């Protein structure tokens, strides 16, 4: 499958790893929007939040359990979590991902 984030998981495209286990991979965003900007992705290819269902939601549970640990390890106890879904939200990579952003004060809502 021609998916950038699947290639990052495979290691054919390099990335800076923050955390990895059997179900997820976390790495630094190449174009950080905050002092800390980590992307957390399931190893299972899911196109977007719209692809989450009863068969694969276990990986989402695992990711959400891990996000506070990843944030804490990055020195964050206050941060923003974002997942852009579809064109109106400007999703550019069609492999589900969660942005963890922190380390600066943010405006009320991302434009
Ligand atoms: P989206 O716009 O789909 O919500 O987020 C995609 C994110 O992936 C963007 O923040 C972008 O900077 C990041 N990104 C795109 N290509 C690469 C890459 O090759 N390596 C890394 N580490 N991040 C990438
Ligand atoms: Zn993928």
């Amino acid at each position: 499958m021609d998916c950038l984030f699947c290639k990052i998981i495979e290691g054919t495209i390099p990335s800076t790893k923050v955390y990895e286990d059997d179900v997820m991979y976390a790495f630094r965003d190449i174009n950080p929007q905050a002092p800390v900007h980590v992307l957390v992705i399931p190893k299972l290819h899911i196109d977007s939040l719209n692809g989450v269902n009863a068969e694969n939601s276990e990986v989402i549970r695992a990711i959400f359990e891990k996000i506070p640990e990843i944030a804490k390890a990055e020195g964050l106890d206050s941060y923003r979590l974002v997942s852009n879904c579809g064109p109106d939200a400007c999703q550019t990579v069609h492999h589900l991902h969660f942005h963890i952003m922190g380390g600066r004060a943010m405006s009320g809502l991302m434009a």
Side-chain angles (χ1 to χ4, degrees), residues 4-111:
L4 176 67
F5 285 176
C6 282
K7 288 176 182 160
I8 282 179
I9 292 163
E10 289 164 7
T12 52
I13 291 176
S15 64
T16 304
K17 177 163 78 174
V18 169
Y19 175 79
E20 181 175 20
D21 63 23
D22 288 348
V23 300
M24 74 190 82
Y25 185 71
F27 57 106
R28 301 204 185 281
D29 197 291
I30 204 167
N31 182 24
Q33 303 300 308
V36 175
H37 189 166
V38 171
L39 300 173
V40 188
I41 64 178
K43 288 189 170 176
L44 179 70
H45 179 94
I46 301 170
D47 285 346
S48 74
L49 280 174
N50 284 340
V52 176
N53 57 42
E55 274 71 54
N56 61 28
S57 60
E58 181 70 8
V59 304
I60 308 304
R61 183 190 63 78
I63 286 172
F64 271 72
E65 286 184 5
K66 190 57 65 175
I67 280 170
E69 277 183 42
I70 293 171
K72 189 173 182 190
E74 291 291 316
L76 303 176
D77 62 7
S78 176
Y79 53 91
R80 178 169 282 168
L81 183 71
V82 168
S83 187
N84 295 318
C85 181
D88 283 357
C90 299
Q91 182 182 3
T92 59
V93 179
H94 298 280
H95 180 128
L96 177 62
H97 51 281
F98 298 96
H99 300 254
I100 302 173
M101 289 171 287
R104 68 167 170 85
M106 299 196 189
S107 57
L109 187 65
M110 243 174 356

